[in-house]
Amino acid sequence: MKGVEYLMNVLVTGGAGFIGSNFVFYMLNKYPDYRIVCLDLLTYAGNLSTLEPVMANPNFRFVKGDITDRELVTNLFKEERFNYVVNFAAESHVDRSIEDPGVFLKTNILGTQVLMDASRTYGVKRFHQVSTDEVYGDLPLDKTDLFFTEETPIHTSSPYSASKAAADLLVQAYNRTFNLPITISRCSNNYGPYQFPEKLIPLMISRALKDDSLPVYGKGQNVRDWLYVEDHCTAIDLILHRGKDGEVYNIGGHNERTNLEVVKTILKELDKPASLITYVKDRAGHDMRYAIDPSKTKRELGWEPTTLFDDGIKQTIKWYLDNRSWWENIINGDYQKYYTRMYGSREGATT
Ligand code: NAD
Ligand code: TDX
């Protein structure tokens, strides 16, 4: 750490992805006396150009590496002596997990184990696992008074959600068996800047801007509970610092919308015709409705989301309009060449 004393040293895994990068920006901005180390493999979903604005920040270090690489992870913990670990790194797209479950099990379960083993060996104040509402399965469309609480049984539908649930159980087991200090957060669907354009909202924005068809699965009646990404970051910050050891916290803002409503909102904002909507074959095992009851997180930690969906979606659309090159590079595949171009010749010099 080159002789500088930081109040806290925080490992953020998956920080080159959507939520992780937003969390890196949030933490560097909010805690100028913290060191933030991002460990990210830069898979297809990781984009180092997203982190470009903070690469030269002396409080930030980027390390390219795999959370399942035990030697690399152990050496990093030995060198950095982290106080906090926030594990965002994951394979995160449900459709990909249906195509090829293997890498989901490897990264999401075994990667979490490797990080927790290193956390045990070197001692951390808190290991925080970023989980998802998908571990609870789904709710019926016709019972709108039902919500997921932290006590709702785990009941997964996709290889993705099963891998996240397995990781959650392992995290709880490390707490009970090895006394590893942990917390788990289970959040609803996020949206906002830097989301990879394979997920519903950025996919629809980027395709609508090019007048391409908008593929809606089934009848578009599935309901998701949308949360602006910065509200997720503030919740994790509170849980990390003030959450109780061993506890699970639900995060969500009661912003339920059908997929069709979301797509129509995007079309309206972009002044594009509804004729772009194309109904396509449904996702296998498609969850009907997610809806989070966040009252424990509000009651115990005072967390409140601040962005309503109607405002957040406008901000998000504006971001995609203002940052066209970010997602166009992804669609062209150019971003995958970015690391090699920018850092290939200075491998090891990214600290
Ligand atoms: P993302 O796919 O945008 O980013 C994942 C990041 O992890 C990428 O930068 C990728 O390079 C990195 N990564 C993947 N495998 C890795 C490995 N083996 N080692 C190191 N890094 C690796 O995902 P996201 O949407 O930002 O989600 C982040 C976390 O939040 C995930 O754990 C996800 O399950 C959870 N989550 C997401 C949402 C959502 O709506 N997106 C909601 C609730 C929870
Ligand atoms: O092209 C599409 N058409 C469509 O109708 C896509 C990509 C999605 N959909 C539907 C499927 C879902 O009902 O939109 C909804 C949202 O789909 P995704 O963006 O793939 O998200 P979801 O499957 O709900 O999972 C997300 O939220 C929970 C994240 O990807 C997960 O990482 C998180 O855990």
Side-chain angles (χ1 to χ4, degrees), residues 98 138 157 217-218 222 224 259 282-290:
I98 297 168
D138 63 352
S157 312
Y217 297 163
N222 306 62
R224 296 295 183 263
N259 294 336
D282 210 350
R283 173 185 280 173
H286 199 172
D287 282 333
M288 284 317 297
R289 172 174 169 251
Y290 301 146

Coordinates of all heavy atoms in Angstrom, one line a residue, residues 98 138 157 217-218 222 224 259 282-290:
I98 N -29.1 -21.0 -18.7 CA -29.9 -22.0 -19.3 C -29.2 -22.7 -20.4 O -29.2 -23.9 -20.6 CB -31.3 -21.4 -19.8 CG1 -32.1 -20.9 -18.6 CG2 -32.1 -22.5 -20.5 CD1 -33.3 -20.0 -18.9
D138 N -40.5 -17.5 -7.5 CA -41.4 -16.5 -7.9 C -42.7 -16.5 -7.2 O -43.0 -17.4 -6.5 CB -41.6 -16.5 -9.5 CG -42.3 -17.8 -9.9 OD1 -42.5 -18.7 -9.1 OD2 -42.6 -17.9 -11.1
S157 N -35.4 -21.4 -9.6 CA -36.0 -21.8 -10.9 C -34.9 -22.1 -11.9 O -35.1 -22.9 -12.8 CB -36.9 -20.7 -11.4 OG -37.8 -20.3 -10.4
Y217 N -40.4 -11.7 -24.1 CA -40.6 -13.2 -23.9 C -42.1 -13.4 -23.5 O -42.6 -12.7 -22.7 CB -39.7 -13.7 -22.7 CG -38.2 -13.6 -23.0 CD1 -37.4 -13.7 -21.9 CD2 -37.7 -13.4 -24.2 CE1 -36.0 -13.6 -22.0 CE2 -36.3 -13.4 -24.4 CZ -35.5 -13.5 -23.3 OH -34.1 -13.4 -23.5
G218 N -42.6 -14.5 -24.1 CA -44.0 -14.9 -23.8 C -45.0 -13.7 -24.1 O -44.9 -13.1 -25.2
N222 N -44.8 -10.9 -17.2 CA -44.0 -11.2 -16.0 C -43.6 -9.9 -15.3 O -43.4 -8.9 -16.0 CB -42.7 -11.9 -16.4 CG -43.0 -13.2 -17.2 OD1 -43.5 -13.0 -18.3 ND2 -42.6 -14.3 -16.7
R224 N -41.3 -7.6 -12.7 CA -40.1 -7.4 -12.0 C -40.2 -6.2 -11.1 O -41.0 -5.2 -11.4 CB -38.9 -7.3 -12.9 CG -38.7 -8.5 -13.8 CD -38.2 -9.7 -12.9 NE -37.9 -10.9 -13.7 CZ -38.7 -11.9 -13.8 NH1 -40.0 -11.8 -13.4 NH2 -38.3 -13.0 -14.4
N259 N -43.1 -6.6 -17.8 CA -42.1 -6.3 -18.8 C -42.6 -5.5 -19.9 O -41.9 -4.6 -20.4 CB -41.5 -7.6 -19.4 CG -40.8 -8.4 -18.3 OD1 -40.3 -7.8 -17.3 ND2 -40.7 -9.7 -18.5
D282 N -41.0 -18.0 -25.0 CA -40.8 -17.6 -23.6 C -39.5 -18.3 -23.1 O -39.0 -19.3 -23.6 CB -42.0 -18.2 -22.7 CG -42.2 -17.3 -21.5 OD1 -41.3 -16.4 -21.2 OD2 -43.2 -17.5 -20.8
R283 N -38.9 -17.7 -22.0 CA -37.7 -18.2 -21.3 C -38.2 -19.5 -20.6 O -39.2 -19.5 -20.0 CB -37.2 -17.2 -20.3 CG -36.1 -17.7 -19.4 CD -35.8 -16.6 -18.4 NE -34.9 -15.6 -18.9 CZ -34.6 -14.4 -18.3 NH1 -35.1 -14.2 -17.0 NH2 -33.8 -13.6 -18.8
A284 N -37.3 -20.6 -20.7 CA -37.7 -21.8 -20.0 C -37.7 -21.5 -18.5 O -36.8 -20.8 -18.0 CB -36.6 -22.9 -20.3
G285 N -38.7 -22.0 -17.8 CA -38.7 -21.8 -16.3 C -39.0 -20.4 -15.9 O -38.7 -20.1 -14.7
H286 N -39.5 -19.6 -16.8 CA -39.6 -18.1 -16.5 C -40.3 -17.7 -15.3 O -41.5 -18.0 -15.1 CB -40.3 -17.5 -17.8 CG -40.1 -16.0 -17.9 ND1 -40.5 -15.3 -19.0 CD2 -39.5 -15.1 -17.1 CE1 -40.2 -14.1 -18.9 NE2 -39.6 -13.9 -17.7
D287 N -39.6 -17.1 -14.3 CA -40.3 -16.7 -13.1 C -41.4 -15.6 -13.4 O -41.1 -14.7 -14.2 CB -39.3 -16.0 -12.1 CG -38.4 -17.1 -11.4 OD1 -39.0 -18.2 -11.2 OD2 -37.3 -16.8 -11.0
M288 N -42.6 -15.7 -12.8 CA -43.7 -14.8 -13.1 C -43.5 -13.5 -12.4 O -43.6 -12.4 -13.1 CB -45.0 -15.4 -12.6 CG -45.6 -16.5 -13.4 SD -45.5 -16.3 -15.2 CE -46.5 -14.8 -15.5
R289 N -43.3 -13.5 -11.1 CA -43.3 -12.2 -10.4 C -42.3 -12.2 -9.3 O -42.2 -13.1 -8.5 CB -44.7 -11.9 -9.8 CG -44.8 -10.6 -8.9 CD -46.2 -10.3 -8.5 NE -46.2 -9.3 -7.4 CZ -46.5 -9.5 -6.1 NH1 -46.8 -10.7 -5.7 NH2 -46.4 -8.5 -5.3
Y290 N -41.5 -11.1 -9.2 CA -40.6 -10.9 -8.1 C -41.1 -9.6 -7.3 O -41.5 -8.6 -8.0 CB -39.2 -10.6 -8.5 CG -38.4 -11.6 -9.3 CD1 -37.5 -11.2 -10.3 CD2 -38.6 -13.0 -9.1 CE1 -36.8 -12.2 -11.0 CE2 -38.0 -13.9 -9.8 CZ -37.1 -13.5 -10.8 OH -36.4 -14.4 -11.5

